[in-house]
Amino acid sequence: MRMLSHLRPSQIPLRIRLTLWYVLSLGFILVLFTTFLYLQVRRSLVAQVDAALHLAATQALLSLGEEGGQLAFQNVERNPEAMRNLNDDFVIHLLAQDGTVLDTLSNDDDVPVFPVQATGFRTLIDEEDPWRVYSQEVAAGSITGRVQVAQELEPVVETLASLQAQIVLGLPLALLLAGLGGFFLASRALRPIDHITQTARAISASDLGQRIRYQGPADEVGRLAQTFDNMLDRLQAAFGRERRFTGDAAHELRTPLAALKGRIGVTLSRPRQPAAYVETLQEMEQQVDRLIRLSNDLLFMARLDQGQFRPQTERIELADFMAAVMDQVRPLAEAKAITLVESIPPGLTLQGDLDLLIRLHLNLLDNAVKYTPAGGRVTVQAERMGTQVIVSVSDTGPGIPAEHLPHLFERFYRVEGDRARGWRDNGQGGAGLGLAIAYEIARAHGGHLAVQSEVGRGTTFVVYLS
Ligand code: ADP
């Protein structure tokens, strides 16, 4: 284990930092509390002494009289019981105005006399011993003087010293115990986080299958673990999609390339007539066109994914727009004797990116014409519903089996499931990207693309745009 002193504060493990903070704040509170307690005890002990001093002075004054023109305690011997109580602990001096000691009541002979003080309590030092002294002016007839009652503070000092010793010893011990307890609790609370860290370390891009599967309560740590697992689910799905996409893209590129290579090989295998070379080159051109379309689609898809397409919105008159799009598929429709029907109310407009929307609708119309058998019908309708414009493209084609519908907008998804279209495809077959692109374009416009289909009756794609 590394020494803590070599670590920057941010590198110290959290459980130790928590414990340190805990001990530090507890120590601060305890020091404040014990100081307060100590001062309170001291105040109350001194107050007790003061009350006793005052009482002693009051009782001594009962015996105050005058003898030979001077103040004196009288009848002291006649009331020994009372005076014993009085002077057991106290030193009581009767002083003249000039400070001369006139009389003393004390058990001890060698007792200190303190300089004359104003009326009140003082703490004074005699030969390094602290004394509590009460002084009061007194008078007997016209003679004035002063009574001074004093008591050693030794017992109070001893009590306070013992209290202090207990605090000084007890405080670190209490902090040590609190620190151990705090460390134990912090370790316990943070153990699941260690588990999360270990799991996270064990996860690599190639193995996203691990989960924390936290079994504890749904507290802060439980929620963290759950969030982590959910994030891994999403990452795993995203990685999976990415991998499939790369694999599918490679496959789609390889098919026409393999076809090209094969065709070139066959053509070169023996000398041929010029017309045969021309035919080969024409067929090769179709494959190259397919490759170009595919790479354009891939590029387009990648740019959509990176969020590089900010739709350049403009006002689009739907009837004109759709007429232009339909013109593009008309030659193919006519070649297959497919009827194109359009039903768009005039004046219907929407806000959108012209190029992207052309691409979206052209994909739908192109598919409709492509997959509808000769003699069929393709209908384009549009209407406004609230803030949305809804465009539907229906055909009387073969329809799409229900099990394919949930995947239809996935990249490279094709209903036939057969990618190897080979040479006979004439380069016309799509790579299964058309609908995925259409879907993303609708989404980039804050809209949506949906499909309804019934096998044998036809398919309808519905674009919702706002
Ligand atoms: P492609 O470019 O291969 O046509 P798409 O993403 O446009 O790819 O379409 C995906 C699949 O959906 C196609 O392989 C096709 O089988 C099916 N499909 C799309 N439109 C229609 C339609 N109008 N009628 C029947 N099937 C369709």
Side-chain angles (χ1 to χ4, degrees), residues 306-356:
Q306 287 165 12
Q308 283 182 1
F309 268 125
R310 307 237 166 281
Q312 305 285 318
T313 50
E314 58 185 285
R315 203 177 147 87
I316 297 170
E317 165 72 44
L318 208 64
D320 295 348
F321 164 80
M322 209 49 93
V325 176
M326 286 172 92
D327 281 347
Q328 294 203 40
V329 291
R330 208 176 297 282
L332 183 60
E334 280 168 2
K336 289 176 77 178
I338 289 173
T339 319
L340 289 180
V341 184
E342 178 212 338
S343 160
I344 295 172
L348 190 60
T349 59
L350 62 84
Q351 287 288 117
D353 186 308
L354 187 64
D355 288 341
L356 293 185

Side-chain angles (χ1 to χ4, degrees), residues 249-276:
H251 188 92
E252 290 299 331
L253 287 168
R254 208 181 53 185
T255 307
L257 284 173
L260 274 175
K261 171 95 177 130
R263 188 67 187 177
I264 292 169
V266 169
T267 309
L268 291 180
S269 60
R270 60 181 169 83
R272 292 176 191 274
Q273 295 300 313

